[in-house]
Amino acid sequence: MGNTILKDQILGFVPEAREKEVGTIISISDCIARVFGLSSVEYSEWVRIHTKDGEEILGIASNLELDHVGVMVIGNPKTIEEGDIVERTGSVADIVVGEELLGRVV
């Protein structure tokens, strides 16, 4: 009986391919990482930095150059090294606006 469940799951498996745009950190200094390879990233887009020790750190794309992107690191930059992988999220940084923000400088 257990074999039929497994066979049904295997026969019903639909492979899914997803395209991701990733880049590589070429340098980091003062919480700003220079990233090569994110040619379609948008200004203020959230990115995920995957460090070699398995940590995931968020950043925001801020300086869009022809050959690299400047990313502001939101988190501890001490574990980030050259060669770490940076992945686009497709989500632009935003802020929720409500009554609490009226009359305030943001």
Side-chain angles (χ1 to χ4, degrees):
M1 181 166 198
N3 284 341
T4 59
I5 294 172
L6 183 58
K7 285 180 185 178
D8 289 343
Q9 288 180 346
I10 291 172
L11 292 174
F13 176 73
V14 178
E16 182 181 321
R18 290 181 287 170
E19 183 178 332
K20 288 191 216 178
E21 184 177 354
V22 297
T24 306
I25 292 185
I26 53 178
S27 69
I28 181 152
S29 176
D30 297 329
C31 291
I32 302 294
R34 287 180 54 216
V35 180
F36 176 78
L38 295 179
S39 59
S40 299
V41 72
E42 296 181 36
Y43 181 78
S44 294
E45 182 176 338
W46 288 103
V47 296
R48 284 189 193 92
I49 301 167
H50 301 279
T51 64
K52 290 178 180 67
D53 63 354
E55 191 176 353
E56 188 176 284
I57 300 171
L58 287 175
I60 298 177
S62 62
N63 189 17
L64 309 179
E65 299 286 336
L66 289 175
D67 60 343
H68 72 276
V69 175
V71 172
M72 294 183 295
V73 177
I74 310 298
N76 186 359
K78 293 187 187 295
T79 59
I80 299 174
E81 300 175 352
E82 289 182 16
D84 286 347
I85 301 297
V86 181
E87 173 186 2
R88 288 186 62 191
T89 65
S91 175
V92 176
D94 60 356
I95 187 167
V96 179
V97 177
E99 294 286 327
E100 297 83 13
L101 288 178
L102 285 178
R104 300 190 185 264
V105 177
V106 180

